[in-house]
Amino acid sequence: MAFLELLFPDNDPITKILRRIANIAGRVGIEVYLVGGVIRDRILGYPTKDIDIMVIGNGIEFARQIAHSFRLKKVLEYPKFGTAMIPYHDIIIEVATARSEKYDSNSRKPRVSESDLMQDLARRDFTINALAMSLNNETLFQLMDYFEGLKDLDAGIIRTPLDPVKTFSEDPLRILRAIRFATRHGFKIEDKTFRAISRVKERMEIVSQERITDELIKILNVSNNPSRGFYLMKESGLLNIILPEIVVMDGVDQRNGFHHKDVFQHTLQVIDNVSRVSSKFELRFTALVHDIAKPLTKKYIDGKGWTFHGHEELGAKMIKQFCKRLKMSNKIMEYAMKLTRLHLRPIAIAVEGVTDSAVRRLIVEAGDDVEDLVKLCRADITSKNPRKITEYMNNFDRVVNRIVEVQKKDKLRAFQSPIRGDEIMMYCGLKPGPQVGYIKKAIEEAILQGEISNTYNNAKEYLEENKDRLLKESQEKFN
Ligand code: CTP
């Protein structure tokens, strides 16, 4: 097929590997196909790194033959699944025995038996992932498309090869994969397939949290429009099951403030806004959770409308629990907590007038993430009123200018007391303990308040002058 040759041009490194594999297959007389996401991604024009090879026969034995011919020592074999992995430069060649799978109702782990090409493709998740390309001499590079995957790729449709209830029940992680592919490519999930998601969604309970979180991360990362994935999860009822902390935002009104949507819609808009300016996962995730405490802090005040007093502080606490449940790393958790805690500060600075010490405090508390914080704040403006948008954005511009000015003046970026704990201990005759921290904090505070500048000499002078007072205060506090 000419079009497949276009997708795999002769000088392409993947094509060269495929031709070598086809030659080996011809030599040993075994039927072999290229399968999986690589065909889909090539057709859609995405770069590909992994090669999935399906063998009608013994996949592990064939993997050894590839490794031998490529002069590679390392083959990772998984006899239980009839698969093997061969790392080759920055490419992973995965070789699998064509198989059919039978699932027990309470497990994602299948019982596997050998099969032919058609059966192997039929057990796969979506028609767009059930394409195969021949690596056999007479039919080299011919597309095997038993389930109209090419048509679905062209029309932008996610559909399962078999009954979707069966495909999703067997491996419910596929529900999230459907949503991920729909989000990534802007595809539609075919009606019957979508209805099956609603029917089968409770089976997500057999999927480990790590795998669910992994897919959620991908949904946030794979496009500049992650909201689509969240709307699909909401609409199918999946969000209730996997993200109950987020679904409660739905219907929480926030009119009368500068927002005109409910908290859920507003949050999704913030995610998209942030995604347009940053591909950083941590920031996209923070956009998802920055208003997590609004449903709990919501209060109607006459003449003022809805208020969410303290949602930034409570939000930070809730994020801690949320990240632990999702098994997110501490690094992501701390970042999201910090930015959530600070996300109202820049606007407050802009509105209430910008004193040097307020700006300093913000720079110090946000540390290296101060630019991300401003990105989040700008993304947080979801008003549709162009006059208001301009006004708020101008406010942020003023804050950013002030940040840059104060940063230049104070070189506060990596702020810490210029006098280290060891020196405080020596000078004040203290042993390690909370008194040292108290004195260090007092020096930092004096710098933040603009009483002294951020230099060693000034800090030392301050310590000398205030030593007796600080020792007395800290002693009273801790002894
Ligand atoms: N597959 C499946 N069900 C799953 C995971 C994978 O049927 N839960 C099948 C699909 O045919 C898929 C192939 O196994 O194309 C390879 O899986 P994987 O490498 O995980 O996914 P890709 O489709 O290649 O895409 P991505 O790497 O983006 O997940």
Side-chain angles (χ1 to χ4, degrees):
M1 224 189 220
F3 118 96
L4 271 183
E5 276 157 23
L6 277 178
L7 297 179
F8 294 94
D10 277 344
N11 56 357
D12 181 293
I14 300 261
T15 314
K16 285 183 185 155
I17 295 172
L18 294 177
R19 283 193 185 277
R20 284 177 75 180
I21 293 175
N23 280 337
I24 303 166
R27 217 170 47 233
V28 298
I30 199 163
E31 210 179 317
V32 172
Y33 296 89
L34 175 70
V35 289
V38 59
I39 304 177
R40 175 200 70 219
D41 283 348
R42 280 276 156 137
I43 294 173
L44 293 172
Y46 287 98
T48 42
K49 273 266 160 348
D50 297 344
I51 299 178
D52 283 331
I53 300 292
M54 184 221 287
V55 178
I56 313 294
N58 189 332
I60 295 186
E61 188 49 45
F62 188 65
R64 289 182 194 147
Q65 274 146 352
I66 296 178
H68 178 74
S69 165
F70 282 46
R71 295 182 204 290
L72 301 169
K73 290 224 166 57
K74 197 165 160 193
V75 183
L76 304 164
E77 299 181 5
Y78 307 94
K80 219 169 124 192
F81 301 103
T83 61
M85 244 170 59
I86 312 165
Y88 181 59
H89 302 297
D90 59 342
I91 292 167
I92 303 272
I93 306 173
E94 209 170 319
V95 187
T97 307
R99 63 186 195 256
S100 59
E101 295 176 343
K102 286 216 164 38
Y103 290 79
D104 295 329
S105 60
N106 59 351
S107 166
R108 271 194 74 225
K109 298 206 172 63
R111 281 176 286 129
V112 170
S113 55
E114 283 192 28
S115 76
D116 61 16
L117 172 67
M118 169 90 158
Q119 278 173 315
D120 182 289
L121 295 176
R123 66 154 180 100
R124 288 170 184 264
D125 52 3
F126 307 113
T127 58
I128 60 168
N129 292 341
L131 293 161
M133 195 183 78
S134 166
L135 296 179
N136 309 295
N137 276 337
E138 312 79 65
T139 52
L140 192 65
F141 290 151
Q142 249 183 43
L143 191 70
M144 308 293 171
D145 181 11
Y146 297 113
F147 305 99
E148 302 194 312
L150 202 52
K151 202 171 118 203
D152 286 346
L153 259 182
D154 194 45
I157 287 176
I158 309 288
R159 189 168 59 91
T160 55
L162 302 178
D163 174 9
V165 171
K166 179 174 154 54
T167 302
F168 288 137
S169 302
E170 286 180 351
D171 179 0
L173 187 70
R174 290 169 170 168
I175 294 176
L176 277 170
R177 284 173 59 89
I179 290 168
R180 161 157 63 97
F181 290 124
T183 308
R184 181 181 192 197
H185 305 303
F187 282 12
K188 177 179 163 32
I189 302 178
E190 178 244 4
D191 288 345
K192 192 171 163 206
T193 304
F194 193 70
R195 281 198 301 277
I197 292 182
S198 299
R199 273 185 62 189
V200 174
K201 59 184 188 293
E202 265 84 20
R203 279 186 60 72
M204 283 305 290
E205 69 185 27
I206 66 164
V207 182
S208 73
Q209 186 58 54
E210 284 83 351
R211 281 178 186 271
I212 294 176
T213 298
D214 194 43
E215 281 296 333
L216 287 172
I217 292 173
K218 288 181 182 166
I219 289 171
L220 276 168
N221 273 339
V222 289
S223 94
N224 290 348
N225 192 24
S227 66
R228 182 170 162 69
F230 287 85
Y231 279 120
L232 288 170
M233 285 192 260
K234 162 82 188 15
E235 213 183 308
S236 60
L238 187 65
L239 207 62
N240 282 304
I241 294 170
I242 60 170
L243 292 175
E245 300 89 341
I246 301 298
V247 91
V248 292
M249 295 177 184
D250 186 37
V252 176
D253 208 354
Q254 54 176 35
R255 242 174 299 254
N256 294 351
F258 52 73
H259 303 301
H260 293 268
K261 303 180 169 81
D262 76 18
V263 180
F264 182 68
Q265 290 167 332
H266 164 73
T267 295
L268 296 192
Q269 181 71 59
V270 180
I271 298 176
D272 285 354
N273 288 350
V274 128
S275 301
R276 263 171 228 131
V277 295
S278 171
S279 55
K280 187 168 174 177
F281 167 72
E282 288 90 332
L283 186 54
R284 294 176 176 208
F285 177 72
T286 306
L288 172 69
V289 294
H290 77 287
D291 278 345
I292 199 167
K294 273 195 171 168
L296 278 180
T297 52
K298 173 182 160 161
K299 202 169 170 192
Y300 193 83
I301 296 184
D302 280 341
K304 232 179 159 187
W306 290 110
T307 62
F308 304 93
H309 186 67
H311 78 275
E312 67 283 18
E313 277 301 326
L314 182 64
K317 287 193 187 115
M318 289 170 72
I319 288 167
K320 192 170 187 178
Q321 297 307 317
F322 184 58
C323 286
K324 284 199 186 321
R325 185 179 77 71
L326 291 192
K327 300 194 187 315
M328 287 274 181
S329 74
N330 284 348
K331 188 170 155 252
I332 292 171
M333 177 182 86
E334 276 154 21
Y335 174 96
M337 286 173 71
K338 177 164 86 175
L339 261 59
T340 298
R341 193 172 277 132
L342 296 176
H343 82 274
L344 300 181
R345 282 282 195 89
I347 194 90
I349 287 178
V351 172
E352 289 160 16
V354 195
T355 64
D356 266 17
S357 67
V359 177
R360 254 186 221 116
R361 210 168 276 280
L362 183 66
I363 297 170
V364 168
E365 285 183 47
D368 285 342
D369 302 314
V370 68
E371 276 130 40
D372 288 356
L373 177 66
V374 175
K375 279 185 189 156
L376 176 68
C377 292
R378 287 189 195 275
D380 206 11
I381 305 299
T382 60
S383 164
K384 288 265 181 287
N385 178 336
R387 195 183 48 78
K388 281 193 172 173
I389 297 176
T390 312
E391 184 192 325
Y392 293 131
M393 292 305 171
N394 287 344
N395 279 345
F396 286 130
D397 289 342
R398 288 212 320 273
V399 176
V400 170
N401 287 340
R402 295 291 291 118
I403 288 175
V404 173
E405 265 172 40
V406 175
Q407 270 174 341
K408 265 198 201 139
K409 201 157 77 185
D410 294 5
K411 297 197 179 61
L412 275 171
R413 265 305 234 200
F415 176 79
Q416 242 189 357
S417 160
I419 304 269
R420 318 295 301 145
D422 288 351
E423 200 173 344
I424 295 173
M425 283 193 280
M426 249 170 46
Y427 187 72
C428 299
L430 288 171
K431 292 205 170 63
Q435 272 188 276
V436 184
Y438 181 91
I439 294 173
K440 196 161 156 229
K441 193 126 196 88
I443 298 171
E444 287 169 0
E445 203 53 35
I447 296 169
L448 285 174
Q449 293 293 354
E451 281 176 47
I452 55 171
S453 63
N454 185 22
T455 63
Y456 177 83
N457 284 344
N458 270 296
K460 187 75 194 285
E461 231 169 71
Y462 176 86
L463 181 60
E464 280 163 8
E465 278 168 20
N466 293 278
K467 179 181 159 192
D468 294 341
R469 175 179 63 83
L470 291 172
L471 268 174
K472 189 160 167 269
E473 280 172 14
S474 60
Q475 204 162 24
E476 278 166 11
K477 189 160 180 191
F478 297 109
N479 290 332

